[in-house]
Each structure stands twice: as C-alpha cells, then as structure tokens.
C-alpha cells in the first residue's frame, strides 16, 4: 500500500488540497480538490490525478460559512470511503501552506507544540491569513493526532535576502521588532525555480524574474535559484496592483483616509485588501477576463495601469539583478492571460525580451521570439506539489 502525503492550502475564501502517493523518487498525484466561495456560494470540485472532474458540488451557505466549517467539509470528505478509494493508500503526513514564517523560519518545519506557538505568535503580522492557515492544522491535530504535520511558509524562500533588501528606511528598532520586507508567494517561486532547474538548467543558474500573477500578484528576482528581492514586503499589500489590492501606494494616502474620511484601522484594512486594485480602479471587477470583455473606458484604464506598473517593477528588479536572463509567468493570469503577457513583454522590449505570438497563443513553455537572448517563459505553478516535496523531505518518507 502506498504512503500518501496530503497537501492543504487554506486561503481567505478557498481551500485547495491534493493527495500524492510516494512512488520511488517521485510524487504521484492521486486527487486534487478546490472548495471555493467560502461564506458565499461555495462549490467543491474534485479531480482525479489526470485532472478529470469527479465531483462538482454546490454547497449551501450554511455548509461552509467560514474557513473552519469548510475545513470540516474537506476533512470529512478526505477520510470518507470515496476519497480512500481514489487515494488508494495510507495517509502518512500532511503539509500545510502557512503565509507567515516571520524572520526565523527559512525552510519548512515539522509542527510540534513549540512550532505551533511560534506560528500562532506571528498572527499579528498576517491577521487576515494566518488564522485561516492555522484552522486545518488545529483540526487535523484533533482528528488524527498521530499524523505528522509540516508547515511550509510563503516567506521562507525569501529569507536569504540581503540586509539591504530586507529593510525599509525607518528607525532600526522597528526592524528589530519585525517590520521587515518579508516577501510572499515563496512556495510558488520555489516550485517554479525548481522546475526551471529541470527544463532550463542554464537559465535557472542565471538572473530570473518570476511574475506570480493570480488573485494576489507579485514579482520575484531570483539569482542562481535563490530569491534576492520581491515586490511584496511587510504584508501582501505591497508591490504591483492585484485583483482587489492596490500594490504600493504613498503612505500619505492612509493618513488622508484617517484624517479626511475618519477611517479607522479596520476600515482601512478592508479598503486596502478588498476595494482597491483592478476592482477599485475599474469600478467593475477584479477579474481580468471580465475587464478584457468590457467596453468601458475604466476597464481599459485598469488593465493599462496593471501592465504599466508590472513593467515598471520588472525594470526595478532587472536593476537589482544587473540584467535579466528570463522572465517567467505563472499563476492564474500569468498562465492564462495571453493578451496581458504580450502587453507586459512589449513594455519590457528594452530589456531584450520579445514574445513569439504563436507560442504565446499556444501556451507553450518558451514564448521567446528569438532563439538566443533573454527568454520569456510560462511555467504553471504547483504550490501543493512543493508542499508535498517539503513534507516528504522533512520527514524522510520513502
Ligand atoms: P489564487 O491566487 O487564488 O490561486 P489564481 O492563480 O487561480 O488565484 O488566479 C486567479 C485569477 O486568474 C482570476 O482572478 C483571473 O483574473 C485570472 N484568470 C483566470 N483565467 C484567466 C484567463 N483565461 N485570462 C485572463 N486571466 C485569467
């Protein structure tokens, strides 16, 4: 019977999960699932290892009003007969995505009482996300206390940043209490970097900018497989615009909102996380597909601004790297947004990046126009596989 690793990725309104069988040196995907729309019109989609849909259930709002309740739906399903048959093995361990690992966790960690306390203590640095990540850890501790659990941190891949890249120009005592440029999306960046090592080893040793463009968006400068800088920093609000987050803004705007609009911390937090970005600027939607289909000038402006800001930050990270050998697109928009990819690369032509329209339309891996020079690549991310790899490594599962 195969040993199985479960990888759980609990976000603010969705839970993604995958089960992998340990097969020799590799990990074989047995099942993947997505429970999305938590608190609203929740939907549970289960696929087999080949990606075929096995189940597509619409849940009542009462069934999944919160991440904690949705976690129970997923946990019950995973321990039920249907899942057991599909997975075809014994669950040996569970790996979790944890958004914040603070300054100390530079790699994944086995969860014991001490590690759990340290993760919990970091909640004030990621108040919206860390509790959602903790929910499945606590639930599985109750459900199956004997199962080893591993925490994989979105910040860990960035812990090697230089002291220069790690700081804001603010008094040092704030740095010492944790106000640093942590960076996020690290599990995705690590996966894409490892994949580059397999498919383009020479490039993986060079200067690479990875664009993780999904619901959250950030860029990462990678040199010889290691993150050297990233656009997200103290929180997942910084950097380039996203679906509902503004990316970097003048902090004077926050003072303006407090003084002129009498907004308190909770109101500003809601504003910055949910009412800005593509949604705020367009006044229409956070979804790129909706904006691309719209004839409204504000939709066009939002997409134009998105491209402008990403191209500007690509230039900044190219300066940090001293040039660029490849730009790699990943995540929902990066993998599917053919038009946006073309526009971002067109705005980055000055770096020697040029796109082949046919390769771009066909969603190939190498989208570059020329056979030599800096590459433009598209590499689908797989955060759950990266979580499962860390889980296997830390526990030496064979
Ligand atoms: P998450 O960060 O939740 O994992 P994803 O990486 O799945 O999110 O990205 C979701 C986003 O991808 C959506 O908001 C949508 O804007 C974008 N997207 C999905 N499909 C397409 C498409 N065909 N063209 C452009 N954008 C797309």
């Amino acid at each position: 019977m195969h040993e199985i690793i479960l990888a759980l990725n609990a976000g603010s309104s969705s839970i993604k999960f995958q089960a992998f069988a340990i097969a020799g040196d590799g990990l074989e995907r047995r099942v993947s699932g997505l429970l999305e729309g938590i608190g609203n019109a929740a939907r549970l989609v289960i696929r087999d290892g080949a990606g075929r849909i096995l189940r597509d259930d619409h849940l009542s709002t009462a069934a999944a009003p919160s991440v904690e309740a949705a976690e129970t739906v997923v946990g019950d399903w995973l321990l039920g007969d249907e899942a057991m048959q599909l997975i075809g093995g014994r669950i040996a361990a569970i790996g979790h995505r944890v958004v914040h690992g603070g300054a100390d966790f530079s790699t994944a960690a086995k969860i014991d009482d001490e590690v759990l306390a340290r993760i919990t203590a970091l909640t004030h640095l990621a108040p919206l996300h860390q509790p959602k990540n903790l929910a499945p850890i606590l639930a599985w501790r109750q459900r199956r206390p004997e199962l080893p659990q591993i925490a994989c941190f979105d910040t860990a891949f960035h812990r090697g940043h230089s002291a220069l890249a790690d700081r804001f120009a603010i008094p040092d005592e704030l740095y010492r209490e944790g106000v640093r440029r942590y960076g996020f999306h690290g599990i995705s960046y690590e996966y894409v970097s490892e994949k580059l090592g397999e498919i383009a080893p020479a490039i993986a040793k060079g200067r690479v900018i990875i664009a993780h463009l999904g619901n959250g968006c950030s860029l990462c400068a990678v040199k010889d497989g290691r993150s050297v800088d990233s656009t997200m920093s103290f929180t997942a609000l910084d950097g380039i615009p996203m679906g509902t987050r503004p990316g970097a803004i003048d902090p004077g705007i926050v003072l303006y909102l407090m003084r002129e609009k009498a907004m308190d911390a909770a109101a500003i937090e809601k504003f910055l996380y949910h009412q800005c970005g593509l949604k705020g600027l367009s006044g229409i939607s956070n979804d790129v597909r909706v904006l691309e289909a719209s004839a409204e000038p504000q939709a066009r402006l939002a997409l134009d601004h998105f491209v402008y800001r990403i191209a500007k930050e690509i230039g900044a990270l190219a300066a940090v790297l001293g040039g660029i050998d490849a730009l790699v697109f990943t995540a929902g928009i990066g993998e599917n947004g053919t038009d946006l990819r073309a526009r971002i690369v067109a705005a980055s032509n000055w770096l020697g990046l040029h796109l082949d329209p046919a390769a771009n339309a066909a969603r190939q891996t190498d989208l570059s126009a020329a056979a030599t020079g800096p590459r433009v690549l598209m590499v689908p991310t797989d955060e759950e596989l990266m979580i499962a790899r860390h889980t296997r490594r830390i526990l030496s599962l064979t």
Side-chain angles (χ1 to χ4, degrees):
M1 195 182 236
H2 279 108
E3 299 267 77
I4 302 293
I5 297 175
L6 285 183
L8 297 182
N9 179 350
S12 43
S13 69
S14 72
I15 298 177
K16 295 177 188 163
F17 57 94
Q18 296 198 32
F20 297 91
I22 295 173
D25 286 344
L27 288 166
E28 197 179 283
R29 196 183 324 272
R30 289 284 170 86
V31 76
S32 69
L34 169 65
L35 197 161
E36 60 181 348
I38 294 169
N40 195 0
R43 184 174 165 209
L44 175 65
V45 180
I46 308 273
R47 296 171 188 270
D48 67 11
R52 283 183 295 259
I53 293 184
L54 302 172
R55 211 175 228 282
D56 186 350
D57 296 344
H58 291 267
L59 309 180
S60 69
T61 308
S66 62
V67 170
E68 289 77 4
E71 203 290 322
T72 305
V73 172
V74 170
D76 287 350
W77 185 82
L78 280 167
L79 292 176
D81 291 344
E82 187 186 29
M84 284 298 145
Q85 273 195 353
L86 284 167
I87 291 170
R90 185 190 75 90
I91 298 174
I94 308 181
H96 299 269
R97 176 185 181 191
V98 176
V99 158
H100 222 303
D104 297 335
F105 288 111
S106 56
T107 186
K110 186 170 179 201
I111 300 170
D112 55 19
D113 290 345
E114 190 232 322
V115 168
L116 186 61
R118 285 166 66 193
I119 296 173
T120 308
L122 290 164
T123 300
H124 71 291
L125 293 178
L128 299 186
H129 295 97
Q130 203 84 334
K132 319 274 187 206
N133 304 150
L134 280 162
I137 295 174
L138 298 172
W140 279 96
R141 277 196 137 203
Q142 292 252 309
R143 208 177 269 140
R144 296 282 297 275
E146 76 289 358
L147 271 186
Q149 300 198 68
I150 302 297
C152 301
F153 302 99
D154 262 324
T155 46
F157 188 59
H158 303 294
R159 288 323 302 140
H161 287 184
S162 70
L164 292 180
D166 206 27
R167 277 168 200 268
F168 298 101
I170 56 175
D172 202 53
E173 66 193 70
L174 281 166
Y175 177 79
R176 278 184 268 116
E177 72 179 57
V179 185
R180 303 171 180 218
R181 296 189 57 96
Y182 293 101
F184 297 91
H185 289 140
I187 299 168
S188 173
Y189 289 131
E190 188 175 14
Y191 172 80
V192 171
S193 298
E194 282 193 3
K195 189 76 185 174
L196 273 186
E198 290 167 26
I199 61 176
I203 290 171
K205 289 200 171 303
R207 302 157 299 175
V208 177
I209 295 175
I210 306 174
H212 178 109
L213 308 178
N215 272 319
C217 300
S218 70
L219 307 176
C220 184
V222 181
K223 206 174 208 169
D224 194 12
R226 290 167 194 276
S227 168
V228 294
D229 207 343
S230 186
T231 55
M232 279 181 173
S233 65
F234 179 56
T235 67
L237 286 171
D238 202 0
I240 55 179
M242 310 170 213
T244 60
R245 287 170 258 171
I249 56 169
D250 180 344
I253 296 173
V254 174
L255 298 175
Y256 177 85
L257 295 174
M258 291 168 73
R259 283 210 192 94
E260 301 299 322
K261 308 283 176 194
M263 287 167 74
D264 62 9
I268 293 174
E269 184 171 77
K270 190 171 167 206
F271 174 78
L272 292 174
Y273 277 95
H274 301 295
Q275 295 166 358
C276 294
L278 294 172
K279 184 178 173 194
L281 187 47
S282 69
I284 297 170
S285 173
N286 62 317
D287 195 315
V288 164
R289 289 162 293 191
V290 175
L291 298 178
E292 286 181 336
S294 168
E296 294 294 326
Q298 279 300 115
R300 169 61 38 187
L301 175 70
L303 291 173
D304 289 352
H305 180 76
F306 187 63
V307 170
Y308 171 79
R309 292 274 299 278
I310 292 172
K312 191 170 158 180
E313 290 302 317
I314 286 172
L317 291 184
V320 166
L321 289 168
I324 179 169
D325 298 307
L327 171 64
V328 186
F329 288 98
T330 195
I333 301 169
E335 293 165 28
N336 301 300
T338 312
D339 189 51
L340 280 180
R341 274 200 305 260
R343 296 183 61 196
I344 292 164
V345 176
S348 310
N349 283 162
W350 64 280
L351 284 166
L353 298 165
H354 297 280
L355 200 70
D356 174 40
N360 186 37
R363 304 183 68 227
Q364 291 176 5
T365 303
D366 192 342
L367 312 175
S368 323
T372 57
R375 309 277 85 197
V376 182
L377 305 170
M378 195 275 285
V379 176
T381 194
D382 196 337
E383 289 164 301
E384 287 76 27
L385 181 54
M386 196 66 234
I387 291 168
R389 281 183 188 159
H390 276 301
T391 303
R392 181 180 192 178
R393 178 180 58 79
I394 297 247
L395 297 171
S396 304
L397 294 172
T398 50

